[in-house]
Amino acid sequence: MENKLPIPDSVEEIEEYMKKRIGLGDSFDLGVRKLKVLRKDVHFYFVNGLTDTQFIIEIVEELVAINDNEKLSANISKIVENRLVHQSVAQIKTMDELVDQVLSGLIVVVMEGVTHGLVVDVRSYPGRTPMEPDTEKVVRGSRDGYVENIIINTALTRRRIRDERLRFEIMRVGERSKTDVAIGYIKDIANPDLIDVIRKEIAAIQIDGITMADKTIEEFLLKQGFNPFPLVRYTERADVAATHLLEGHVLIFVDTSPSVMISPTTYFHHLQHAEEYRQSPAVGTFVRWIRFLGVASSLFLLPLWFLFVLEPSLLPESIAFIGPNEETNIPVIIQLFLAEIGIELLRIAAIHTPTPLSTAMGLIAAVLIGQIAIDVGLFVPEVILYVSLAAIGTYTTPSYELSIANKLFRLLLLVLVAIFHTPGFVVGITIFILFLANMKPLNTPYLWPFIPFHPKALWRILIRASVPGSSIRPSIVHTTNRYKQPPKNNTSK
């Protein structure tokens, strides 16, 4: 193992090292402040833009005041350390640590004749204030969502769970980016084996940088490959993350990312939304069923309608009107794919279009393009209707990642129906279920509690139970403490 260079006792050597190693003097945002304290050189290094200037000014004032209030002493290290007016001060011994801490936004104080440095956490990362995430809005509920600062994100979580057993283990990932990654869990609830697996997998990541943050971590952690279905759940809501912590899940925070990864998760975790728990159990259950109906329509409605178009004999007489009533020169399957691609183009365009213009773009697409396409015979009206219903079902899916994966399966099922008709529809759905049932991210069955079947847990998914009745944590997480609430004891008065 390579020996790490210790901090030399000469500040000139340290400055020369910093010039060669990180470009001190070349990069305008790297700085060094040189002081004389009790006739000895004291330098501290910092990065402009990542540090709070006001804290640095206060520290400089305190260090300069030492000359007026202290006598000459050989033990300058203790004097300086005592005068650093900050709650977070730590010692470091090597130059690698010094470089990493400076580039992370902390300042490092080094002194003539002292072979260690003092790290002071004066970080002030640029970023926005906590606000409600656009993809997880609720009518009732908190409006503070995660931001790109890992310190703020862990603070938002700890504000909701003030438990001494809540842990945030931090490590750095990326040979060049050195991105902070934190593993969050509650010590006496989360499965220790799961924590150990996640810790080892993250520590084993070897890459230059993870500028794409949590998505890069997910691909290393779960070896996703070309599997389109999300293997972890993302959330930008602190209340959702805290709820999963209390259920025994493990969270992964990545600096520079406003979303937090929840693991392990199943298919049905991606179908839940905070709105269901901000309403009464009856209303929450109703909303959940409507959402399930939307997800089912996004998967099966369009292929089922296309199957009826190809084989009208399958339709009962009472609904025999389903199917295109107009003749067209373009095959229906081509129309379906053109409409699907058109909606996807609109979605992408809406992302890249400034907000004031996106509304106008939607009106143009709906009124002009859609209506004219029908009038000229490019589409039959029913194609637009059912593609639009499937798109609405896609947008009702709480998880953006799952909605896109479901759309890819819908397109595959359309191709199978076009080629094999009824057998293609049946075999396609069977392959879909078997594919999901065979997935086990972090050793968790993806379709639990449907496969393997767990009736009580499945009932909890179908029905939004009241909080007083939900005293047991989900068994799929394998928690060390099953009970959310103490078991009721029968005591006589």
Side-chain angles (χ1 to χ4, degrees), residues 72-115:
L72 291 178
S73 171
N75 198 1
I76 188 176
S77 174
K78 287 296 181 184
I79 296 174
V80 169
E81 185 172 356
N82 288 336
R83 289 299 188 96
L84 291 175
V85 286
H86 202 276
Q87 79 277 8
S88 178
V89 180
Q91 288 190 8
I92 55 172
K93 299 287 187 181
T94 66
M95 291 300 296
D96 283 341
E97 290 177 293
L98 190 153
V99 170
D100 289 348
Q101 298 289 6
V102 169
L103 294 179
S104 296
L106 297 85
I107 65 171
V108 178
V109 182
V110 293
M111 295 149 281
E112 188 72 33
V114 179
T115 57

Side-chain angles (χ1 to χ4, degrees), residues 35-42 73-76 111-113:
L35 303 173
K36 279 282 188 180
V37 177
L38 301 180
R39 298 183 183 177
K40 290 191 176 181
D41 290 319
V42 174
S73 171
N75 198 1
I76 188 176
M111 295 149 281
E112 188 72 33

Side-chain angles (χ1 to χ4, degrees), residues 78-309:
K78 287 296 181 184
I79 296 174
V80 169
E81 185 172 356
N82 288 336
R83 289 299 188 96
L84 291 175
V85 286
H86 202 276
Q87 79 277 8
S88 178
V89 180
Q91 288 190 8
I92 55 172
K93 299 287 187 181
T94 66
M95 291 300 296
D96 283 341
E97 290 177 293
L98 190 153
V99 170
D100 289 348
Q101 298 289 6
V102 169
L103 294 179
S104 296
L106 297 85
I107 65 171
V108 178
V109 182
V110 293
M111 295 149 281
E112 188 72 33
V114 179
T115 57
H116 66 260
L118 298 174
V119 179
V120 187
D121 190 350
V122 295
R123 283 178 287 192
S124 178
Y125 292 155
R128 56 194 174 93
T129 57
M131 61 184 67
E132 185 177 22
D134 290 333
T135 56
E136 296 177 90
K137 290 185 176 181
V138 293
V139 178
R140 294 279 183 271
S142 61
R143 308 296 178 190
D144 57 340
Y146 287 134
V147 294
E148 289 76 14
N149 189 326
I150 191 172
I151 305 298
I152 294 177
N153 292 348
T154 54
L156 287 173
T157 309
R158 194 173 285 279
R159 183 183 177 190
R160 286 168 169 80
I161 304 179
R162 302 175 184 181
D163 187 354
E164 68 274 14
R165 288 154 291 195
L166 176 60
R167 301 287 186 268
F168 293 111
E169 296 183 12
I170 196 162
M171 58 187 74
R172 285 198 174 99
V173 178
E175 182 64 28
R176 297 181 186 275
S177 70
K178 297 181 174 66
T179 307
D180 291 321
V181 178
I183 304 172
Y185 60 92
I186 300 179
K187 190 173 183 180
D188 67 331
I189 296 179
N191 182 1
D193 294 334
L194 173 64
I195 298 169
D196 193 49
V197 167
I198 292 176
R199 185 190 295 123
K200 288 181 179 178
E201 289 291 337
I202 294 177
I205 294 175
Q206 300 291 330
I207 192 172
D208 273 3
I210 53 169
T211 51
M212 292 296 108
D214 42 12
K215 186 58 186 174
T216 306
I217 295 290
E218 180 194 354
E219 293 182 7
F220 273 102
L221 181 64
L222 294 159
K223 314 297 188 292
Q224 187 173 19
F226 282 93
N227 181 359
F229 288 92
L231 305 180
V232 297
R233 180 181 176 182
Y234 291 96
T235 184
E236 295 183 34
R237 294 188 62 90
D239 50 1
V240 172
T243 300
H244 282 81
L245 277 174
L246 292 172
E247 288 187 349
H249 293 264
V250 178
L251 306 186
I252 301 174
F253 297 78
V254 182
D255 195 29
T256 73
S257 173
S259 55
V260 168
M261 292 196 311
I262 302 172
S263 62
T265 53
T266 66
Y267 186 89
F268 297 101
H269 278 102
H270 298 280
L271 303 182
Q272 297 178 352
H273 192 271
E275 183 66 28
E276 300 163 9
Y277 296 92
R278 287 289 182 174
Q279 305 292 339
S280 66
V283 175
T285 300
F286 173 73
V287 171
R288 184 175 292 183
W289 286 358
I290 296 298
R291 181 172 290 114
F292 287 166
L293 181 63
V295 174
S297 68
S298 73
L299 283 167
F300 307 119
L301 179 63
L302 202 56
L304 184 61
W305 174 80
F306 182 49
L307 177 62
F308 289 150
V309 171

Side-chain angles (χ1 to χ4, degrees), residues 325-448:
N325 298 318
E326 303 174 9
E327 293 293 331
T328 177
N329 295 324
I330 302 177
V332 174
I333 184 65
I334 301 298
Q335 294 183 41
L336 291 173
F337 268 82
L338 286 175
E340 288 278 15
I341 293 172
I343 288 180
E344 193 65 18
L345 286 173
L346 286 175
R347 183 189 67 83
I348 295 172
I351 294 174
H352 301 304
T353 304
T355 304
L357 300 178
S358 60
T359 303
M361 184 196 67
L363 291 173
I364 291 171
V367 177
L368 298 180
I369 300 177
Q371 188 58 46
I372 293 174
I374 292 174
D375 292 342
V376 299
L378 183 61
F379 295 116
V380 295
E382 277 197 78
V383 168
I384 300 296
L385 170 65
Y386 288 102
V387 169
S388 300
L389 289 174
I392 292 172
T394 298
Y395 298 142
T396 60
T397 307
S399 168
Y400 172 73
E401 292 79 15
L402 181 63
S403 67
I404 299 299
N406 286 344
K407 184 169 189 173
L408 291 176
F409 166 74
R410 180 172 75 235
L411 296 177
L412 175 62
L413 193 56
L414 280 172
V415 172
L416 291 176
V417 171
I419 298 174
F420 302 108
H421 295 198
T422 302
F425 184 77
V426 175
V427 171
I429 294 177
T430 305
I431 292 174
F432 172 68
I433 295 174
L434 291 177
F435 177 74
L436 295 183
N438 194 48
M439 290 166 52
K440 290 187 177 181
L442 294 174
N443 204 29
T444 303
Y446 199 58
L447 281 186
W448 183 91

